[in-house]
Amino acid sequence: MDRAEPSPNPVKPSPDPVKPSLDLLRSLTDEHVLRALMQHRRLTRAELAAETGLSKPTAGESVRRLAAAGLVADTGERTPGGRGRGRVGSYYALAQDIGTALAVSIAPGEVVAERIDAYGDTVGRAEVAIGRPARPEQVTAALAAAAARVQQDARVQQDARVAVVSAADPVDRVTGRLIHLPDSPFLVGELDPAQILAPYVSGPVTVDNDVNWAAQAERDHWAAYAAQAGHDQAGTAPGDDFAYLFLGEGLGCAIVSDGQVRRGHSGLAGEVAHLVTAGPDGRAVPFIEVFGQLGLRQPGSTAIDVDRLVAAVTGQAPEAAGARHALGQAVGGVLAAIVALTDPRVVVIGGPWGSQPAVLRTIVTAAGRLPRPVPVRGARLTGHPSLAGARTDALTRLRTGIIHASAKTKI
C-alpha cells in the first residue's frame, strides 16, 4: 500500500489568542473600582466585589493598590460585626485630595466659577459682576477673582485638575481664545481664558461657546430621559441630531449631528447674527438688525433688551401681534437656512426670550410654513444650561483624569 506523502505546506495550528497583560487587567480592575466609588461614594471590599462583579480577593487587591497610590482611603467607618454578622468590614472612599474640576461661565453681567469634586458635588462657588459691554481687562480681573475665591471656598484648597469654560462669545477652537466679531453684544475685544486660569488649574483648560455647552446639556438631558422612559416614549426627543437656536441678549446656534456638536473649521459655526433674513418691512436684512429696526436693543449696544421684547410681544393688542409677526418672519428665515444646511431632526429653541410661550408659539407657526417644515420645541433646560453643560463636561474630564492616573501607577 502506498503511503500518503506529507503535504509540502503543512497547515500550522493557529497560535493562542493574545492574552491581555497583567498590567492591563489591573488597570481595568482599578477603573471598575474607582467608578463604583465615584457613583456610590463609599463601599466595603465586599460591596465593591458585588457592585463590579469582581471576586473579593481581586477587589481587595485593587483597593490596596489604589490606596497605596493615594487615590482611595479608608474612611474609618466599619460595618457591624460579631454575633453571626460576619467579619467587620472597612468602608473605602475616594481620597479627599484626589482633585477637583473647575467649571466657569463667562456671561453678560457676571462670571460664575464652580469647583466640582469627583462625586459631582459643587464644593465651592463664586460670582463676580462685570459691566456691559465688557472690556477684556474687566473680564480678566473678574475671571481671576472668581477662580481665586472658589479655590478658597472649596473643601480642598489645591489647584483644579481640569477646567471647562463657557463663554458668551465666539471661541477659536484651536487656541481657545474669545474672538470679537462685528456687533458682538458682550465682550469688546479678545480674551484668553486658559492663560488667565493657568495659576489655578494644574491640567488642561477647555473653552467653548455658551450655546454649544447649552446644546450639549440639552442632549444629555434627553439621553437620560430616553434611558429612563424607554424607546417608545422617547421617540419624539431630539436625540443625536438637532439644532439649538439660542435667543437672548445675543443670538447663536449649535448644530448637534450624530451626538456631536459641529463647530466648523475655526469654531465659529452657528454664528447666526449676520444671517440674512426678512426684516419688519419684508426687506432682506441681517438677523441682528431686525431688533434694531423694532427698537428692541439695549441703549448703546447691539444686545437685545429681553424685558422690552417680551413686553412687546405679550398681549392681544395690534402692536403685540405686529411684533410677533415680525419676529416670526425673521426667525423663520433663519430656520429655513438652518434646515437647508444641516437637516436637523428637531429644532430646539432656548434662551430667555426664545422660551417665552408667546414667542415659541409664533416660531412653531413660522416653522410649519417653511418649504421643509421641521418640528420645533422649547428647551427643557432653562436655568443656566450653558453652565450645566460645562459642569458635566468638567466632571467627565476629572473622572477620566483620575482613572488615567490610576493606570500609570505600578504598585
Side-chain angles (χ1 to χ4, degrees):
M1 179 180 291
D2 294 334
R3 294 183 179 180
E5 293 293 328
S7 171
N9 298 304
V11 177
K12 297 180 179 180
S14 300
D16 292 337
V18 177
K19 295 181 179 179
S21 68
L22 183 58
D23 285 344
L24 176 58
L25 292 174
R26 285 175 174 172
S27 295
L28 293 173
T29 298
D30 293 348
E31 177 177 350
H32 287 312
V33 168
L34 285 170
R35 291 197 183 278
L37 290 174
M38 289 171 183
Q39 180 179 359
H40 297 284
R41 297 178 180 266
R42 60 160 203 165
L43 293 169
T44 65
R45 297 185 188 195
E47 289 171 340
L48 280 166
E51 180 66 27
T52 60
L54 301 169
S55 68
K56 290 181 181 180
T58 300
E61 183 62 19
S62 176
V63 168
R64 183 197 66 78
R65 284 194 302 271
L66 294 171
L71 299 175
V72 166
D74 187 332
T75 66
E77 299 171 279
R78 302 290 181 263
T79 61
R83 295 185 178 274
R85 296 179 179 176
R87 297 175 59 184
V88 174
S90 300
Y91 281 102
Y92 292 88
L94 300 176
Q96 189 175 10
D97 60 353
I98 199 169
T100 58
L102 184 63
V104 178
S105 169
I106 305 174
E110 66 176 357
V111 171
V112 178
E114 293 184 348
R115 287 287 285 267
I116 304 147
D117 66 17
Y119 300 117
D121 294 336
T122 300
V123 297
R125 180 182 170 92
E127 302 175 11
V128 179
I130 50 179
R132 302 178 185 219
R135 300 284 174 179
E137 56 273 17
Q138 259 189 312
V139 180
T140 297
L143 183 54
R149 192 179 304 170
V150 78
Q151 187 178 53
Q152 295 170 355
D153 292 345
R155 291 197 296 260
V156 180
Q157 295 183 15
Q158 63 184 41
D159 291 347
R161 278 178 174 264
V162 297
V164 174
V165 179
S166 165
D169 244 15
V171 176
D172 186 304
R173 66 178 300 175
V174 176
T175 66
R177 292 179 62 90
L178 275 59
I179 303 170
H180 178 71
L181 295 179
D183 292 331
S184 292
F186 170 49
L187 180 65
V188 181
E190 297 192 359
L191 192 74
D192 188 350
Q195 185 180 48
I196 299 167
L197 293 175
Y200 310 98
V201 183
S202 61
V205 177
T206 302
V207 187
D208 203 356
N209 176 266
D210 58 344
V211 182
N212 287 342
W213 289 123
Q216 290 192 58
E218 190 76 11
R219 177 202 63 194
D220 293 343
H221 169 82
W222 279 108
Y225 168 77
Q228 183 177 15
H231 178 74
D232 293 340
Q233 292 175 304
T236 58
D240 288 341
D241 293 279
F242 64 95
Y244 185 101
L245 183 61
F246 179 88
L247 303 174
E249 292 186 25
L251 305 166
C253 181
I255 304 300
V256 178
S257 179
D258 296 329
Q260 300 297 316
V261 173
R262 304 303 175 183
R263 296 172 176 83
H265 172 69
S266 59
L268 303 184
E271 296 296 332
V272 297
H274 291 276
L275 228 168
V276 175
T277 187
D281 59 1
R283 290 187 292 182
V285 295
F287 190 25
I288 189 66
E289 290 297 329
V290 171
F291 305 92
Q293 293 183 9
L294 290 173
L296 298 175
R297 285 180 172 176
Q298 296 178 18
S301 170
T302 59
I304 297 166
D305 190 322
V306 174
D307 291 339
R308 195 188 310 172
L309 185 152
V310 172
V313 300
T314 302
Q316 301 301 318
E319 295 80 7
R324 290 195 297 272
H325 174 76
L327 285 179
Q329 185 174 250
V331 176
V334 171
L335 290 181
I338 292 172
V339 171
L341 292 173
T342 67
D343 188 29
R345 177 183 181 185
V346 176
V347 174
V348 177
I349 307 296
W353 62 269
S355 59
Q356 292 293 318
V359 173
L360 189 58
R361 286 194 298 269
T362 299
I363 295 174
V364 169
T365 301
R369 298 183 182 133
L370 296 178
R372 290 173 55 187
V374 62
V376 173
R377 67 193 60 218
R380 287 293 185 96
L381 297 181
T382 56
H384 304 289
S386 301
L387 182 57
R391 186 189 301 116
T392 298
D393 191 74
L395 176 60
T396 299
R397 291 174 186 273
L398 171 63
R399 289 176 168 177
T400 300
I402 292 169
I403 289 173
H404 286 172
S406 72
K408 294 178 182 178
T409 303
K410 301 289 191 298
I411 298 176

